[in-house]
Amino acid sequence: MKLVAFVALAAALCAAPAQAQQARKWVEPDGRVIYSDVQPSRTARLAGAVRADAQPAGAAEKLEAGKVELIEGLVTVTGTDARARRMVVGSILYEGDAVATGDKGELHAEMADGAVIAVRPNSQVSIIRYRASGQSSDASIMGLLRGSFRSITGFIAKAAPNAYEVRTPIATIGVRGTDHEPMVIASGSADGQPGVYDKVNIGSTVITGNNGGSVAVPAGQAGFIEQGGQSRPQVLGSIPAAFKGSANDSRMQGRHERVQQGITEKRSQAQAGQGMQKGSGTRGGSGQAPGKGGAGSGPPGKGAGAPSGQAGGGPGAAGQAGPGGQSGSGPQGAQSGQPSPQGPGAGVSAGPGGAPGGGAGSAPAGPGGGKK
């Protein structure tokens, strides 16, 4: 067995250059993305023959749209590469993904702007465009081919209502800061009259037919436009029985209020470049180098150095302490510790002629959350 494992390991390492040239995307059960020309084995991954969470040269950056909070039953998520991937709680949804659920399938996700979506059973939803940077380019455009989902809108709809849309085959739904449930009933369904519906729980929506005409739907009511889109959309006199909800609707109770409470902070984080992806900064490290005027003492020594220097190096630069100070014992030490040029050379010094001191330097975190 050991020989077989070694042969597999060697083959994987030797094949690594070819894989990098003909990379295909594979998704691990935990949602990580791996690029390889063949489905990578565990041995190959551990050997480093393929890299997780990396993109091959020339690959376009994928934009995160949301993160899975709940997944039950049969749920398939397909990316722009037409490959389906298995999702678990914590997996990332990307712009361009399509979500399909089976009879008892359901997926809930928190979106990048703090919004929440709950895709119901027997539904097909696509993330056409999702940009949540807190800028004028923000957009939340979802597609609904069949079935239903519930949407509690986030900072995109609040800051720029026209940037939020739900597109269906015969109509587009816009919002005004909303908790709503769009639904598409196809021909031949026993759920009700074929067409596009929208039930509004909080706020209001506007249904606009592809062939013209629109109607505002207030809270507590539902709007409808029949299949074919020949008639104008209308507000119904009662909520259709097809709005049955799902087994996990209790998770949405009070969610609108919680989303609204955190919406300003969420947008500020996005504007600061933090958003949903809080990556570690690569430029803001911790400096551990001897500081000028390190700690030291000797029986006759009397000089005490200054406790700290001034941090330098600019935002994001790793803190680097200055040249190693001298410390130790001396007859009448009088040296004072001086600030290092690029980091706080904290410590005291006494007397000339000792070993290099151990002052620690540090700098403020760099963009992207580097550690101090």
Side-chain angles (χ1 to χ4, degrees):
M1 292 297 293
K2 291 183 178 179
L3 178 59
V4 173
F6 176 80
V7 171
L9 176 60
L13 288 172
C14 292
Q19 290 173 351
Q21 295 174 3
Q22 304 175 15
R24 285 162 44 190
K25 184 173 73 174
W26 303 89
V27 181
E28 293 290 88
D30 62 0
R32 291 181 307 136
V33 176
I34 287 178
Y35 292 89
S36 173
D37 65 339
V38 295
Q39 186 167 13
S41 66
R42 182 173 182 273
T43 302
R45 292 195 303 272
L46 294 177
V50 294
R51 295 189 302 150
D53 301 322
Q55 292 184 342
E61 179 184 2
K62 295 193 301 180
L63 297 175
E64 293 187 11
K67 182 179 293 186
V68 175
E69 291 187 334
L70 175 144
I71 187 164
E72 287 187 357
L74 178 60
V75 177
T76 302
V77 175
T78 306
T80 54
D81 58 359
R83 294 181 181 274
R85 62 184 191 268
R86 180 176 177 268
M87 306 295 282
V88 296
V89 173
S91 293
I92 301 300
L93 292 172
Y94 296 97
E95 181 182 89
D97 279 351
V99 180
T101 57
D103 286 344
K104 297 182 180 179
E106 191 167 357
L107 180 145
H108 293 196
E110 180 184 4
M111 307 306 284
D113 66 331
V116 179
I117 63 168
V119 183
R120 302 277 172 65
N122 293 313
S123 300
Q124 291 182 4
V125 176
S126 60
I127 305 172
I128 298 172
R129 183 178 177 86
Y130 221 102
R131 308 291 173 92
S133 61
Q135 309 298 326
S136 59
S137 59
D138 285 357
S140 170
I141 303 176
M142 308 290 290
L144 178 61
L145 184 61
R146 69 177 175 90
S148 176
F149 71 95
R150 184 170 177 177
S151 171
I152 297 175
T153 59
F155 70 67
I156 293 176
K158 182 174 182 179
N162 291 335
Y164 176 99
E165 290 182 355
V166 176
R167 295 178 181 175
T168 75
I170 60 173
T172 298
I173 301 171
V175 304
R176 297 294 181 268
T178 303
D179 173 352
H180 72 127
E181 303 175 45
M183 178 171 61
V184 173
I185 296 181
S187 295
S189 173
D191 289 333
Q193 183 178 356
V196 172
Y197 298 77
D198 193 36
K199 174 190 170 189
V200 180
N201 302 311
I202 299 174
S204 65
T205 66
V206 176
I207 302 176
T208 303
N210 292 350
N211 294 325
S214 64
V215 66
V217 185
Q221 295 186 267
F224 169 71
I225 180 171
E226 67 179 356
Q227 184 169 306
Q230 299 304 316
S231 64
R232 297 175 65 87
Q234 59 182 300
V235 175
L236 299 175
S238 61
I239 304 295
F243 287 100
K244 295 175 269 195
S246 72
N248 294 292
D249 266 12
S250 60
R251 294 174 57 92
M252 306 296 280
Q253 292 180 1
R255 195 64 186 269
H256 183 271
E257 290 75 13
R258 295 196 295 274
V259 168
Q260 295 306 306
Q261 288 170 2
I263 216 169
T264 301
E265 181 181 358
K266 191 79 174 179
R267 189 165 189 260
S268 296
Q269 290 176 345
Q271 290 173 329
Q274 298 173 11
M276 289 189 60
Q277 189 176 8
K278 297 182 176 68
S280 298
T282 57
R283 292 184 296 166
S286 59
Q288 296 295 335
K292 187 173 183 178
S297 63
K302 297 181 181 180
S308 64
Q310 298 298 316
Q320 298 293 328
Q326 299 296 317
S327 64
S329 62
Q332 289 292 327
Q335 264 186 332
S336 295
Q338 300 297 321
S340 78
Q342 298 185 9
V348 297
S349 63
S362 66
K371 295 182 180 178
K372 289 185 178 182

